[in-house]
Amino acid sequence: MNHRFWMNLLCVALLTLILLHGASRGHDDVVKIGAIFTLKTINGRVSKIAIQAAEKDVNSDPRILGGRKLSITIHDSNFSGFLGFIGALKFLVTDTVAIIGPQSSVMAHVLSHLANELHVPLLSSTALDPTLTPLQYPYFLQTAPSDHFHMNAVADLISYFGWREVIAVFSDDDQSRNGITVLGDKLAERRCKLSYKAALPPDPTATPSHVTGQLVKIKSMESRVIVLNTFAQTGLLVFEVAQKLGMMSKGYVWIATAWLSTVLDSTTSLPSNTCNSIQGVITFRPHTPHSRKKQAFISRWKHISNGSIGLNPYGLYAYDSVWMIAEALKLFFDRNGTISFSNNTNLSGTREETLDFGALSVFDGGKELLDNILRINMTGLTGPIQFGSDRSPLNPSYDILNVIATGYRRVGYWSNYSGLSVITPEKLHAEPANRSISSQHLNRVIWPGNTTEKPRGWVFPNNGRQLRIGIPNRVSYQDMVSQINGTNAVQGYCIDIFLAAIKLLPYAVQYKFILFGDGHNNPSYYNLVNMITSDVFDAAVGDIAIVTDRTKIVDFTQPYIESGLVVVAPVKKLKSNAWAFLRPFTPQMWGVTAFFFLFVGAVVWILEHRTNDEFRGSPREQIVTVLWFSFSTMFFAHRENTVSPLGRVVLIIWLFVVLIINSSYTASLTSILTVQQLSSPITGIDSLISSSDRIGFQVGSFAANYLTEQLNIPKHRLVPLGSPEEYAVALESGTVAAVVDERPYVELFLSNHCQFSIRGQEFTKSGWGFAFPRDSPLAIDMSTAILTLSENGELQRIHEKWLSEKACGFHSTEDEQLKLNSFRGLFLICGITCFLALLIYFLSMVRQFNKKSPQKVGPSNRCSSRSARIQTFLHFVDEKEDVSPKLKRKLDYISSNRLRSISKRVQEDISQEAP
């Protein structure tokens, strides 16, 4: 900020000197406006012509200013901030009510302080630094979309094509530097990043040596997506040097900001070497909708410019800026405003030997004029003109241009309303906003190298270094990754998958394998992954499980094999015996089933006893009937018929329960008798957690951390084991009750140790993948290659080559046994049905007993004891109920049908026995 401080002091000194020389005041019928541009630049020349045309158009219509005339003085800053300040000072001491400009953001930062103090509005369509905010600079107004929106459009374009790392080349001035800062923030929102910022001297002081030094560095870097944010002279120099260095060839992506579109629009003819150096570049241009007014101005442009330069959007914005001031002045004068200036009270008492700050004057109507400009609602050459609450033009949008041999072509649009589209922004504004990924579209782009294939956007750094790939130097399960063959080359299941995936990449990868570990113990996989973050390795290949802690520091590829922790424990074979038919149900299940058989039989007997003769008789006969009826329902062979509605409901529910139990028992018994069974006190991870037994784990595996941190198992219960042989010895000797390891290892272990088995299900779900640094594009390409291997069957072939041995085919008895919990719902439904039936039956009996008891019980018994009344009630319940004629006919019909059926079977038997 020191250079700004001294510039401000210089400005004040110059201003005072000019004031002391006595600047002249203007006439009331002339409204003075200043303009500051560098007339040797494209935008300066175009803006000058447009401003003069606007001045003529305003003055030709006396209705605008009520007979007054605009007098616009254009000052040439000639690339010099000093001369720009001089021009501003001249304007500020000659009753200038507004200034169009300055052209550069560097001057805008300084002159805005003067404008704030003297209340003179500054309107600029080219000083688009996003840090020129209205809170700090209330009298500065950007009439074109600021670089905040421009960089948002660039970030959306980069995200649309899926590039993750970007290099920025920019001029080291306020506007370009601050624009790149905004671009970095916008990219971060889209999970992209600026990997390198190459600063060049401010335009136009950059030399070929400056540019060459930066581009040589960029050429050796990984990213091939380059954003060029500068101005015309420096920008064209960058492309010429890039062409010589071979950086405009296939594989590169060049995105130029709007400076290049102004060159293409305004330069009548470019040198052939310049045209060749910008082929395939993408650039942006502020979008201005088509209109008759715009078309008419374009038609007269050749005349007013004498064919010296072409029109670009910034000329249209300059023309509209004059009309905005004119419309604001019209409203100012319509409200009886007068142009007057007064002394600055803050400086009136400040007087030095040579400086008289009190001579500075303030535009009294400056605040009102600024408010009128902000309330503008008109249509200009650039379309509808209106400012939002943040003082930015409404609905900022850009054309996206692709430079080709014949000039350029538009491949789409960007608008702050709907993002990327091939439909014009004004049409999209008539529809609901849609920023979804599926709605973002662009036409085909021709990239550098004259190719339509989208560049990958990155390459391996051209520094002669091979990709350093760390692989675990395993002691156990070497077939997985680190088996050393006769030529001292590393091979294994994971290595084969990596080599097959590398071959599918569309580019060559130079790499070397580096063993990680001492060769005596399995290495720590957490340490291996951390080596990537510390830049010891560029990647890690092996049986590396994708777990949460590791994904926080590195990126993994698509898993190439599924994995998960399982429990392995010793088991013993269950031999078939005379009581094998009892295995399908647990003892608890057998007990509950037997109870319900008796319970349902008793309930049906109670419901049928009064009305059904088949459920009556002597106590002995009734007990036999209940037992027979209960157990015969197991085979649906009960001969007793139910006649009461409640009895039939209970029987239907019970027969459904019996059907389910029979089917389940048959299926389970079939499995038990045909598959070899194993038994173990450990049934899975839950039983292991609840016990106090010791648990083995593989050295280097993530299982230890998972067991202690996630399952809260004390560390003293964990025993590290280094090889399959140690697994077997520890399990057989009882050193550990079980081993917890990943399924692929366990399957290899069980292929040679059939006395052990997996108990329960996997209690984690993960996979193995290759690890790369965060945001590495190689991780994405390798994931695509792994998916291709899966689709073409190569992944399965490699799996069969290294992991074809099959584990022992044993099943656990506990897995086959049917537990009570599986049938709890059925028994609950049946029990509730029986209870409700008994309740309804009891209430019905009480009701009938109360109706008949006065007739059967004499007056002398009314004061009898409660026990006598209960005895009477039980006797009433046990009595045979008089059956209605309809029900009696039904029972007789059932009995006759049964007798005919028995008679028919006897006759058939006799006929079969007859000679």
Side-chain angles (χ1 to χ4, degrees):
M1 295 299 293
N2 288 334
H3 71 286
R4 293 184 182 174
F5 173 77
W6 290 110
M7 286 181 180
N8 284 331
L9 288 181
L10 178 61
C11 291
V12 174
L14 291 172
L15 174 62
T16 307
L17 290 174
I18 295 171
L19 289 173
L20 291 176
H21 280 81
S24 60
R25 298 289 180 180
H27 298 287
D28 292 339
D29 59 345
V30 176
V31 181
K32 295 181 179 180
I33 297 175
I36 303 174
F37 289 93
T38 297
L39 300 183
K40 291 182 181 179
T41 63
I42 292 175
N43 283 339
R45 293 164 59 194
V46 170
S47 297
K48 177 183 177 181
I49 298 171
I51 288 173
Q52 291 174 340
E55 178 187 12
K56 182 179 179 181
D57 292 343
V58 170
N59 289 335
S60 64
D61 188 351
R63 295 173 299 176
I64 302 299
L65 299 179
R68 300 175 182 86
K69 299 291 184 181
L70 282 184
S71 177
I72 301 179
T73 304
I74 300 177
H75 175 79
D76 184 7
S77 61
N78 195 24
F79 295 105
S80 171
F82 176 78
L83 294 179
F85 303 146
I86 291 292
L89 294 174
K90 289 181 179 179
F91 295 144
L92 292 173
V93 297
T94 56
D95 292 353
T96 298
V97 298
I99 296 176
I100 300 175
Q103 183 174 339
S104 77
S105 295
V106 176
M107 286 190 290
H109 277 281
V110 177
L111 296 184
S112 293
H113 290 287
L114 294 175
N116 291 348
E117 193 68 29
L118 303 179
H119 297 183
V120 177
L122 299 179
L123 284 74
S124 179
S125 60
T126 53
L128 304 176
D129 184 353
T131 63
L132 288 165
T133 60
L135 292 176
Q136 185 178 9
Y137 307 112
Y139 279 86
F140 179 79
L141 191 62
Q142 293 170 331
T143 59
S146 79
D147 281 355
H148 173 84
F149 301 105
H150 196 349
M151 295 306 147
N152 203 351
V154 174
D156 273 349
L157 179 75
I158 292 170
S159 177
Y160 171 79
F161 286 108
W163 299 312
R164 293 297 180 187
E165 294 191 9
V166 180
I167 293 174
V169 180
F170 61 97
S171 295
D172 195 14
D173 58 37
D174 287 349
Q175 180 162 327
S176 298
R177 186 190 319 109
N178 292 334
I180 292 301
T181 300
V182 172
L183 176 61
D185 295 338
K186 296 300 180 181
L187 289 174
E189 293 174 3
R190 294 156 177 81
R191 299 193 64 186
C192 307
K193 69 176 182 179
L194 284 176
S195 58
Y196 181 70
K197 298 179 182 179
L200 300 174
D203 189 83
T205 60
T207 64
S209 61
H210 290 138
V211 175
T212 302
Q214 289 290 357
L215 293 188
V216 168
K217 290 181 183 178
I218 293 172
K219 189 175 181 181
S220 66
M221 295 178 182
E222 182 178 278
S223 178
R224 285 293 182 264
V225 181
I226 305 170
V227 175
L228 183 56
N229 186 35
T230 179
F231 299 97
Q233 190 166 332
T234 301
L236 293 178
L237 176 61
V238 169
F239 283 127
E240 290 176 6
V241 175
Q243 175 80 0
K244 295 177 182 178
L245 295 176
M247 297 176 66
M248 300 302 299
S249 57
K250 183 178 180 180
Y252 282 89
V253 176
W254 284 89
I255 302 172
T257 49
W259 67 266
L260 181 55
S261 67
T262 64
V263 173
L264 298 174
D265 286 333
S266 299
T267 304
T268 54
S269 63
L270 290 172
S272 59
N273 61 329
T274 302
C275 291
N276 293 333
S277 66
I278 59 176
Q279 295 300 307
V281 176
I282 293 180
T283 186
F284 292 80
R285 177 174 63 192
H287 175 74
T288 56
H290 292 290
S291 65
R292 293 182 178 179
K293 183 182 294 187
K294 174 183 171 182
Q295 191 60 41
F297 187 77
I298 293 173
S299 299
R300 57 185 282 217
W301 178 261
K302 187 175 182 179
H303 171 71
I304 61 178
S305 66
N306 295 320
S308 61
I309 193 169
L311 178 63
N312 65 51
Y314 294 104
L316 302 178
Y317 281 111
Y319 180 92
D320 283 348
S321 297
V322 176
W323 273 97
M324 290 167 60
I325 297 174
E327 291 291 339
L329 286 170
K330 180 179 184 301
L331 183 60
F332 177 80
F333 291 131
D334 289 345
R335 294 178 178 176
N336 298 322
T338 59
I339 295 177
S340 62
F341 294 82
S342 59
N343 292 334
N344 190 317
T345 57
N346 293 330
L347 300 175
S348 59
T350 305
R351 181 181 292 274
E352 300 293 339
E353 293 181 0
T354 58
L355 302 180
D356 184 10
F357 293 100
L360 295 175
S361 59
V362 178
F363 177 29
D364 296 327
K367 180 65 169 61
E368 183 179 352
L369 180 62
L370 177 65
D371 292 339
N372 290 343
I373 295 173
L374 292 174
R375 288 194 294 265
I376 283 289
N377 188 359
M378 56 179 282
T379 300
L381 300 183
T382 57
I385 299 175
Q386 192 177 357
F387 293 97
S389 58
D390 58 350
R391 293 194 178 185
S392 63
L394 290 182
N395 303 320
S397 55
Y398 292 86
D399 299 336
I400 302 175
L401 309 179
N402 181 205
V403 182
I404 57 176
T406 57
Y408 63 85
R409 64 191 186 93
R410 185 168 44 229
V411 296
Y413 305 89
W414 179 91
S415 70
N416 194 49
Y417 181 76
S418 56
L420 300 172
S421 174
V422 294
I423 304 174
T424 58
E426 49 269 22
K427 289 184 178 179
L428 293 176
H429 290 155
E431 301 176 359
N434 185 2
R435 294 298 295 265
S436 64
I437 295 176
S438 61
S439 68
Q440 306 297 293
H441 297 289
L442 289 177
N443 291 323
R444 187 183 63 175
V445 176
I446 298 177
W447 305 100
N450 196 30
T451 177
T452 58
E453 180 183 356
K454 187 199 79 172
R456 188 173 63 253
W458 70 279
V459 295
F460 286 101
N462 186 21
N463 52 19
R465 182 173 64 84
Q466 293 177 314
L467 202 65
R468 300 162 299 174
I469 300 178
I471 59 174
N473 188 12
R474 295 191 59 88
V475 178
S476 60
Y477 300 111
Q478 291 185 347
D479 287 350
M480 286 292 184
V481 60
S482 57
Q483 178 175 312
I484 310 298
N485 62 18
T487 60
N488 292 325
V490 182
Q491 61 181 8
Y493 169 67
C494 302
I495 297 297
D496 275 8
I497 293 178
F498 176 79
L499 295 177
I502 282 288
K503 293 178 182 178
L504 295 178
L505 297 182
Y507 47 88
V509 179
Q510 299 296 325
Y511 61 89
K512 60 179 178 180
F513 291 131
I514 302 174
L515 291 175
F516 175 74
D518 57 11
H520 302 291
N521 298 288
N522 289 336
S524 169
Y525 282 55
Y526 282 101
N527 293 339
L528 174 60
V529 172
N530 283 324
M531 291 287 190
I532 299 175
T533 62
S534 58
D535 199 35
V536 176
F537 295 131
D538 299 311
V541 171
D543 46 344
I544 306 172
I546 304 173
V547 295
T548 303
D549 290 343
R550 298 172 185 172
T551 58
K552 293 178 180 178
I553 58 176
V554 297
D555 281 350
F556 281 93
T557 62
Q558 170 80 16
Y560 55 84
I561 187 175
E562 291 185 358
S563 181
L565 293 178
V566 293
V567 176
V568 180
V571 291
K572 61 181 180 179
K573 300 177 183 177
L574 294 178
K575 299 180 180 179
S576 298
N577 54 45
W579 304 102
F581 67 90
L582 295 176
R583 289 184 191 170
F585 290 162
T586 60
Q588 187 181 20
M589 178 64 182
W590 278 118
V592 172
T593 302
F595 167 77
F596 263 86
F597 270 107
L598 296 175
F599 175 67
V600 171
V603 170
V604 173
W605 176 83
I606 293 174
L607 299 175
E608 296 288 325
H609 179 65
R610 298 192 74 227
T611 58
N612 195 339
D613 290 335
E614 295 182 351
F615 287 88
R616 299 189 64 82
S618 63
R620 178 180 178 183
E621 290 177 347
Q622 294 182 56
I623 292 175
V624 171
T625 298
V626 170
L627 293 175
W628 166 256
F629 178 83
S630 297
F631 291 103
S632 62
T633 55
M634 180 184 296
F635 309 102
F636 305 98
H638 52 285
R639 64 185 181 185
E640 293 79 11
N641 292 289
T642 54
V643 295
S644 67
L646 292 176
R648 290 179 177 178
V649 170
V650 171
L651 184 60
I652 288 174
I653 297 298
W654 174 241
L655 291 179
F656 175 74
V657 174
V658 170
L659 175 64
I660 300 299
I661 293 175
N662 276 345
S663 302
S664 303
Y665 175 85
T666 303
S668 181
L669 181 62
T670 302
S671 176
I672 290 174
L673 296 179
T674 55
V675 180
Q676 193 174 11
Q677 301 294 310
L678 302 176
S679 176
S680 171
I682 297 173
T683 60
I685 188 63
D686 293 334
S687 62
L688 200 59
I689 294 174
S690 60
S691 69
S692 59
D693 298 331
R694 305 186 76 188
I695 305 169
F697 67 93
Q698 182 184 171
V699 175
S701 170
F702 74 95
N705 286 340
Y706 185 85
L707 293 174
T708 55
E709 296 176 6
Q710 302 296 325
L711 303 183
N712 298 319
I713 296 177
K715 290 186 177 179
H716 65 81
R717 290 181 56 191
L718 303 182
V719 179
L721 302 173
S723 66
E725 291 72 23
E726 292 185 26
Y727 287 10
V729 171
L731 289 170
E732 289 176 345
S733 63
T735 304
V736 297
V739 171
V740 174
D741 205 350
E742 296 180 71
R743 180 174 283 278
Y745 300 125
V746 169
E747 290 179 351
L748 284 179
F749 171 71
L750 294 180
S751 64
N752 296 317
H753 300 83
C754 293
Q755 67 272 34
F756 310 110
S757 177
I758 296 175
R759 310 300 295 166
Q761 304 296 322
E762 289 184 11
F763 54 92
T764 65
K765 288 292 184 182
S766 62
W768 291 352
F770 304 138
F772 292 89
R774 295 284 289 178
D775 300 322
S776 171
L778 188 56
I780 300 174
D781 289 350
M782 286 293 287
S783 294
T784 303
I786 291 172
L787 289 174
T788 303
L789 292 176
S790 176
E791 292 170 358
N792 63 21
E794 183 67 12
L795 204 62
Q796 182 62 29
R797 188 193 65 78
I798 297 173
H799 186 277
E800 293 174 354
K801 172 185 174 182
W802 291 97
L803 309 176
S804 59
E805 298 181 9
K806 297 182 179 179
C808 303
F810 295 144
H811 293 266
S812 169
T813 299
E814 285 78 7
D815 292 340
E816 300 292 342
Q817 274 193 318
L818 299 174
K819 300 179 181 179
L820 176 62
N821 191 53
S822 301
F823 300 91
R824 182 182 300 174
L826 285 174
F827 286 131
L828 182 64
I829 293 173
C830 184
I832 292 175
T833 303
C834 293
F835 173 77
L836 292 177
L838 289 176
L839 179 62
I840 294 172
Y841 179 76
F842 174 75
L843 295 176
S844 176
M845 290 299 100
V846 169
R847 180 171 172 273
Q848 294 181 28
F849 176 72
N850 289 334
K851 285 183 178 181
K852 296 183 179 181
S853 57
Q855 300 174 2
K856 294 186 177 182
V857 181
S860 59
N861 293 333
R862 291 179 180 175
C863 297
S864 61
S865 66
R866 181 177 299 175
S867 59
R869 185 169 179 81
I870 292 174
Q871 221 172 20
T872 306
F873 175 74
L874 293 177
H875 178 72
F876 170 76
V877 171
D878 186 56
E879 289 179 352
K880 178 71 169 65
E881 182 180 357
D882 295 332
V883 181
S884 63
K886 183 177 180 180
L887 181 59
K888 185 175 182 181
R889 288 195 301 270
K890 185 174 182 181
L891 292 175
D892 293 341
Y893 176 77
I894 294 174
S895 299
S896 62
N897 283 342
R898 181 175 296 171
L899 289 174
R900 284 198 297 270
S901 177
I902 294 173
S903 174
K904 183 176 181 181
R905 286 200 298 269
V906 171
Q907 291 178 0
E908 290 176 351
D909 293 340
I910 294 174
S911 62
Q912 290 176 358
E913 293 177 359

